[in-house]
Amino acid sequence: MNKVYITTAIPYMNGSPHIGHAMDYVQADVSARYYRLLGDDVKFQVGSDEHGGKVFQKATAQGVTVEAFVDENVAKLKDFIAKLDVSYTDFVRTTNTDHIRRCQEIWRKLSEHIYKDKYEGWYCTGCERFVTDKEYEECNGVCPDHQKSYERLEEENYYFRISDFKDQIREAILADRVLILPDFRKKEILKLLEESPDVSISRPKEQLSWGVPVPGDDNQTMYVWIDALSNYITILGYPERDISDWWPATAQFVGKDILRFHAIIWPAMLLALGLPLPKTIVSHGMILVGGVKMSKSVGNVVDPVDVIERHGADAFRYYFLRHIDTFADSDFTWEKFENAYNNELANDLGNLVQRLATLMSKNDIALPSASAILPKKYQSLMEKFEFSKAFDFVWEEVQAINKRIDEEKPWMLAKNGERIKLEECLIGLARELLKVNLMLGPFLPETNEKIVEIFSGKITAPKTPLFPKN
Ligand code: MSP
């Protein structure tokens, strides 16, 4: 059984979830459910990012303790994820004591690449990162994502030497060893990688106390992103447990706004820890409302619970998985949502099920339970104990597949390098064969088992044919 590890970004616990937060969850969930359908063993992480200046400031502004504040927001997040019908297996909270201890051990393991330095620069608490002077000038000192002025900070912090890993990261990205999707983001990341300075990974405790203490230095708190990114492996028990069953992750789902952390800092951390890089990072676009970014000041924040309550989780999932582009920015409007619901879910799928079920019930036709995919003719002959005729019928199907192979000539497709057509043709034929094989079962049980074995997993043709000729 294949092991599959799917991860999602962990949202800041500075407020209630909004519809933008749903993207990671619905995309990751479709993937997790798909792999389960294939029979894979799936681990699916979700969680909450509870530390950092922005969470602390919000709690203080509301006059509540930060612990009570994050507890309340975590409860809202869990409720939201449950309402979306997300089949996660593990929930990680960054305030969990095991997570904190493991983060400190990760820090120690990174120490060869960490140094202390003075820094003066512009910081955005919304992004929780320092921006370069160039970025500061380009947006006139106001963060375009958060509409907040950058703060000037002068601090002595610890730095992580990203430059130690730039070459390895570039090579891994170029060779798709860590596959960044969509492809057009890859170029952006490669450019950013070249420009990336070493990253400050701590803040003085007097500036920021709400976070993981830096081991061995009472005056410093870990930068929230180091703590947050570590969640993907602390939840697996790293470093005290061997995580090779699950790591590297099959797919990490994140929004485009935080791809830089996942495609530069995170790979650098993993390389420093001697761990493999994730197989894929899937980065979705932003959800806009009425064409603009959601924001409290614009007053266009859509409460996801309202959307779910309108027509249920599947209507939400339908809209966000079909009408919100998988990779590009897309718009949510109630009008579009209602149209999709009425014209597609209700008219197409809802109607189809309704009509078919009505016709069948009116005419008193039921589906045979266990044998739903067996042809009627076969069943009728078998139930009449007409074995030779039933076998004739099965044999006609065997011959028909042989004829299809002769006509479709898959060997020519192989020869011409038409890979997609070849796969379609052979998979189609094998599916037909497996259907026929079901019917063969009662007749030739040993052969039936052999055919199932041959066509499961990686296929190897048997050394001797099933029925060697005399
Ligand atoms: N805490 C960090 C993630 C740490 S992961 C180690 C963070 N939190 S967030 O709350 O700002 O965002 C959480 C996820 O929601 C991210 O994947 C982000 O891209 C996504 N979205 C937040 N707003 C969004 C939209 N309006 N549209 C689509 N996704 C958006 O970043």
Side-chain angles (χ1 to χ4, degrees):
M1 204 191 268
N2 271 334
K3 299 254 187 220
V4 165
Y5 183 35
I6 303 280
T7 77
T8 53
I10 52 174
Y12 292 119
M13 288 298 97
N14 61 336
S16 307
H18 58 67
I19 54 170
H21 292 126
M23 283 315 286
D24 284 340
Y25 298 126
V26 290
Q27 292 194 344
D29 192 50
V30 167
S31 218
R33 287 178 190 265
Y34 170 71
Y35 285 113
R36 286 194 197 106
L37 197 63
L38 298 185
D40 295 341
D41 189 6
V42 177
K43 197 172 194 62
F44 178 4
Q45 156 282 11
V46 298
S48 49
D49 190 355
E50 304 183 27
H51 291 131
K54 101 167 148 184
V55 174
F56 189 80
Q57 285 163 16
K58 239 341 197 338
T60 314
Q62 293 193 4
V64 289
T65 66
V66 66
E67 289 84 358
F69 181 71
V70 293
D71 281 352
E72 192 191 322
N73 286 326
V74 168
K76 284 187 196 154
L77 179 68
K78 282 192 170 165
D79 182 48
F80 171 55
I81 297 175
K83 283 201 167 87
L84 280 175
D85 216 355
V86 172
S87 58
Y88 70 88
T89 57
D90 295 77
F91 194 106
V92 54
R93 290 188 62 165
T94 56
T95 48
N96 173 283
T97 49
D98 282 334
H99 169 80
I100 291 172
R101 177 179 47 77
R102 287 171 182 153
C103 271
Q104 291 176 321
E105 284 167 31
I106 287 172
W107 178 286
R108 282 196 200 97
K109 283 175 178 281
L110 296 177
S111 59
E112 216 183 289
H113 307 277
I114 293 176
Y115 60 93
K116 211 170 186 184
D117 203 1
K118 263 218 163 67
Y119 188 80
E120 194 183 340
W122 299 104
Y123 193 81
C124 171
T125 26
C127 302
E128 295 282 18
R129 72 179 183 95
F130 279 103
V131 295
T132 58
D133 287 345
K134 195 173 142 217
E135 282 176 284
Y136 178 86
E137 276 155 30
E138 274 168 7
C139 45
N140 293 321
V142 179
C143 170
D145 283 342
H146 298 94
Q147 297 304 322
K148 267 168 78 175
S149 298
Y150 293 116
E151 289 170 44
R152 188 76 183 162
L153 295 181
E154 193 192 335
E155 293 175 352
E156 187 169 47
N157 296 334
Y158 287 102
Y159 283 80
F160 180 42
R161 211 179 290 112
I162 296 276
S163 45
D164 289 350
F165 304 101
K166 278 191 182 178
D167 291 346
Q168 285 180 72
I169 298 171
R170 188 189 314 107
E171 274 162 34
I173 294 177
L174 281 171
D176 290 342
R177 263 180 284 126
V178 45
L179 179 65
I180 295 179
L181 295 176
D183 193 58
F184 64 82
R185 296 254 172 256
K186 208 157 104 175
K187 284 192 201 82
E188 287 173 19
I189 286 298
L190 286 168
K191 187 162 175 282
L192 271 173
L193 177 69
E194 296 317 317
E195 294 164 0
S196 283
D198 288 348
V199 50
S200 155
I201 54 166
S202 72
R203 303 282 316 275
K205 203 171 172 180
E206 71 239 26
Q207 303 293 332
L208 178 70
S209 56
W210 181 240
V212 179
V214 167
D217 188 337
D218 287 344
N219 299 317
Q220 295 268 328
T221 305
M222 240 181 248
Y223 175 45
V224 65
W225 270 99
I226 298 297
D227 159 12
L229 288 164
S230 301
N231 96 85
Y232 301 126
I233 51 174
T234 61
I235 190 73
L236 302 176
Y238 186 85
E240 71 264 27
R241 262 181 245 151
D242 171 12
I243 61 168
S244 58
D245 265 358
W246 300 109
W247 193 263
T250 311
Q252 301 209 263
F253 289 86
V254 301
K256 70 170 191 189
D257 55 332
I258 57 168
L259 180 61
R260 60 166 72 207
F261 298 95
H262 286 81
I264 298 175
I265 302 181
W266 179 225
M269 285 171 69
L270 289 166
L271 289 167
L273 296 170
L275 289 172
L277 302 181
K279 291 181 191 154
T280 319
I281 307 176
V282 187
S283 120
H284 57 78
M286 292 294 111
I287 292 171
L288 309 171
V289 174
V292 291
K293 206 178 145 39
M294 257 180 294
S295 93
K296 287 221 173 88
S297 51
V298 179
N300 65 344
V301 178
V302 177
D303 181 347
V305 178
D306 282 352
V307 187
I308 298 168
E309 278 173 0
R310 188 78 68 108
H311 299 299
D314 278 6
F316 187 108
R317 295 169 66 109
Y318 178 80
Y319 187 84
F320 282 79
L321 288 163
R322 181 145 188 244
H323 289 288
I324 296 284
D325 192 280
T326 306
F327 299 123
D329 292 354
S330 290
D331 204 27
F332 176 92
T333 64
W334 281 106
E335 196 190 347
K336 284 185 194 165
F337 175 72
E338 289 293 340
N339 279 343
Y341 180 79
N342 290 319
N343 301 334
E344 296 162 26
L345 271 178
N347 275 359
D348 299 340
L349 184 61
N351 233 357
L352 167 66
V353 172
Q354 196 63 27
R355 286 161 71 199
L356 204 53
T358 308
L359 280 164
M360 290 177 83
S361 95
K362 275 204 177 138
N363 295 290
D364 203 18
I365 295 171
L367 279 177
S369 51
S371 47
I373 31 172
L374 293 173
K376 202 90 211 126
K377 183 164 177 197
Y378 171 79
Q379 286 184 51
S380 123
L381 290 169
M382 293 294 277
E383 276 156 28
K384 283 193 260 167
F385 308 101
E386 296 259 10
F387 296 130
S388 73
K389 281 192 183 159
F391 219 155
D392 282 347
F393 174 78
V394 175
W395 224 247
E396 275 165 27
E397 300 282 324
V398 171
Q399 288 169 332
I401 301 176
N402 267 321
K403 197 160 160 245
R404 264 184 66 186
I405 300 189
D406 293 339
E407 287 165 354
E408 293 179 23
K409 299 188 176 48
W411 53 88
M412 288 305 288
L413 298 173
K415 200 174 155 202
N416 298 337
E418 298 184 79
R419 181 73 201 174
I420 295 175
K421 278 197 186 150
L422 176 69
E423 280 188 16
E424 269 176 9
C425 168
L426 290 181
I427 290 170
L429 290 163
R431 286 215 174 110
E432 282 305 310
L433 171 57
L434 289 175
K435 260 198 237 166
V436 173
N437 194 39
L438 269 186
M439 297 192 278
L440 267 181
F443 291 98
L444 310 174
E446 202 185 316
T447 305
N448 170 278
E449 273 183 32
K450 281 186 190 161
I451 293 177
V452 169
E453 206 185 306
I454 292 168
F455 287 92
S456 318
K458 187 167 162 35
I459 298 172
T460 21
K463 286 210 179 72
T464 45
L466 289 180
F467 300 98
K469 276 190 184 164
N470 285 324

